[in-house]
Amino acid sequence: MPPDGRRVRGDRRRREILAATLRVVERDGVAGVSHRSVAREAGVPTTSTTYYYATLDDLLIATLTWSAEEMAASFREVPLTPAAVARFIADAAGEHRGRTLAEYELYLLAARRPELRAAARRWISLMAEVATGWDPVALRAVLAGLDGLLIQALIADFPPMAEDLEPVVSLLMLGG
Amino acid sequence: MPPDGRRVRGDRRRREILAATLRVVERDGVAGVSHRSVAREAGVPTTSTTYYYATLDDLLIATLTWSAEEMAASFREVPLTPAAVARFIADAAGEHRGRTLAEYELYLLAARRPELRAAARRWISLMAEVATGWDPVALRAVLAGLDGLLIQALIADFPPMAEDLEPVVSLLMLGG
DNA sequence: CAGAAAGTTGAACGTTTGTTCCACTACTCT
DNA sequence: AGAGTAGTGGAACAAACGTTCAACTTTCTG
């Protein structure tokens, strides 16, 4: 049987709404997300956002967990060398800034809502899986260091470049 | 001349409003802060919050920068030993959780509003001052590690204890 | 004691909010 | 062809919002 054309278009619109929500989060933060602001950003009527996501919270959480999943998947492709990790961090503050902002918006929501914590820690548990054989203490130090470099990169006056980050990443990874 | 009783009471109420705002931020995040929610929390009429802070943004920024200043001042008292720093982090996720949450809410606002960045990085520049003579790369690694430990402590299933944190802090500080 | 200054407060304004309803079109399946 | 399903979108609702206003009390100053 051929794919249902209605569902195909519906899924596309659902994804467009998610992407529009992420852009609103990047620009105005979680506080800027409303049915109307997202609908305006996506170029769809207000009611369509409530059609696909029953409540605003559903829409917001779907966007943030999707974004966190994207970030984790992207991180999985990074070789665990200082140069590659430094490049990942630099990109997270530049090209993929919205995704990184969304990650830490999710962190803050998860701090108050335990059910969101697994999603927020997605990239952490993923790296913990990859780094089998590492010393547990060293692993925790590296994970903390990367999280700190990422969030500090977001509030730097000038977006850090990979070359500047590399020695710091290198020192952090030395412990393993 | 004796102190003006009106101003004394006014300053007290201003501080109560700040403290109430911080409690709202702790419970519901920045999104939960409104003139009415803060006034309800503080037990004052709605108009008094607008009397002391012209706009809601003024109130929010005043609260977050005040809280960040408190956190920086508190950090300044910590001896730079692994045990003391680990204790500081454990308390930041427990006893002083609201203050820590406010710090990272400020981070996220600062990511989009450059004028807030100096306030957000207050504790970082303070530690950079204290750690004269450290290797710059090692300092950046430690600062990132501490930031990461703090924010990860907020989304841990169980608040980390100082004893668990100490070896990680110790390893991070070894680089200096 | 009079007047200025500081703070207090309820009522009200226009706007935006989340969400629901309902009439409607587009498409699939039997 | 006709029934059922998926998606569309304008209109409307009550609630909450930020902010302003004006009348009021308390306190200090000359």
Side-chain angles (χ1 to χ4, degrees):
Chain A
M1 60 179 149
D4 190 329
R6 297 170 299 182
R7 284 219 144 98
V8 171
R9 271 189 299 276
D11 282 350
R12 183 163 54 226
R13 190 169 241 200
R14 174 182 258 114
R15 279 194 302 271
E16 276 166 11
I17 290 173
L18 278 189
T21 307
L22 186 59
R23 289 195 301 274
V24 173
V25 169
E26 176 172 9
R27 191 191 335 119
D28 302 319
V30 163
V33 174
S34 73
H35 280 134
R36 286 170 176 85
S37 68
V38 168
R40 209 178 308 127
E41 175 72 32
V44 299
T46 308
T47 39
S48 70
T49 65
T50 74
Y51 178 78
Y52 287 103
Y53 299 93
T55 70
L56 229 212
D57 192 66
D58 285 348
L59 170 57
L60 181 63
I61 300 306
T63 300
L64 297 184
T65 57
W66 161 68
S67 176
E69 197 61 44
E70 291 272 306
M71 181 161 164
S74 169
F75 183 70
R76 185 169 34 204
E77 307 302 318
V78 177
L80 289 185
T81 66
V85 172
R87 162 98 276 135
F88 178 83
I89 295 173
D91 287 347
E95 192 183 350
H96 297 122
R97 190 178 182 82
R99 193 168 80 182
T100 313
L101 283 166
E103 174 75 20
Y104 290 107
E105 297 274 9
L106 181 58
Y107 266 51
L108 282 183
L109 290 184
R112 301 174 186 96
R113 297 165 59 176
E115 75 274 16
L116 300 176
R117 287 177 186 169
R121 288 190 303 244
R122 190 74 181 84
W123 81 268
I124 293 179
S125 41
L126 206 137
M127 167 133 185
E129 280 175 25
V130 170
T132 51
W134 285 44
D135 170 55
V137 170
L139 177 61
R140 283 162 66 202
V142 172
L143 289 173
L146 296 188
D147 236 340
L149 284 179
L150 277 171
I151 201 167
Q152 288 178 8
L154 291 176
I155 59 170
D157 287 325
F158 305 99
M161 286 180 302
E163 306 90 74
D164 299 330
L165 292 165
E166 187 173 338
V168 183
V169 175
S170 191
L171 179 60
L172 282 169
M173 294 178 73
L174 219 74
Chain B
M1 61 180 148
D4 190 329
R6 298 170 298 182
R7 285 219 144 98
V8 170
R9 271 191 298 278
D11 282 351
R12 184 162 56 227
R13 190 168 239 200
R14 175 182 257 115
R15 280 195 301 272
E16 276 165 11
I17 290 173
L18 278 189
T21 307
L22 187 58
R23 289 197 299 276
V24 173
V25 169
E26 176 172 8
R27 193 192 331 120
D28 302 320
V30 164
V33 175
S34 73
H35 279 137
R36 285 169 176 84
S37 68
V38 167
R40 209 179 307 126
E41 175 73 33
V44 299
T46 308
T47 39
S48 71
T49 65
T50 75
Y51 178 78
Y52 287 102
Y53 298 93
T55 70
L56 190 61
D57 192 65
D58 285 348
L59 170 58
L60 181 63
I61 300 306
T63 301
L64 296 184
T65 57
W66 161 69
S67 177
E69 197 62 43
E70 291 273 305
M71 180 160 166
S74 170
F75 183 69
R76 185 170 33 204
E77 306 302 318
V78 177
L80 288 185
T81 65
V85 172
R87 163 98 275 135
F88 179 84
I89 295 172
D91 287 346
E95 193 183 349
H96 297 123
R97 191 179 181 81
R99 194 169 79 182
T100 313
L101 283 166
E103 174 76 19
Y104 290 107
E105 296 274 9
L106 181 58
Y107 266 51
L108 282 183
L109 289 185
R112 301 174 186 96
R113 297 167 59 177
E115 75 274 16
L116 299 176
R117 288 178 186 168
R121 289 191 303 244
R122 189 76 182 83
W123 80 268
I124 292 180
S125 41
L126 206 137
M127 166 132 186
E129 279 174 27
V130 171
T132 51
W134 285 45
D135 171 54
V137 170
L139 177 61
R140 284 162 65 200
V142 172
L143 289 173
L146 296 188
D147 236 341
L149 284 180
L150 278 171
I151 201 167
Q152 287 178 8
L154 291 176
I155 59 170
D157 287 325
F158 306 100
M161 287 180 301
E163 306 90 76
D164 298 331
L165 292 165
E166 188 173 337
V168 183
V169 174
S170 191
L171 180 59
L172 282 169
M173 293 178 72
L174 218 74

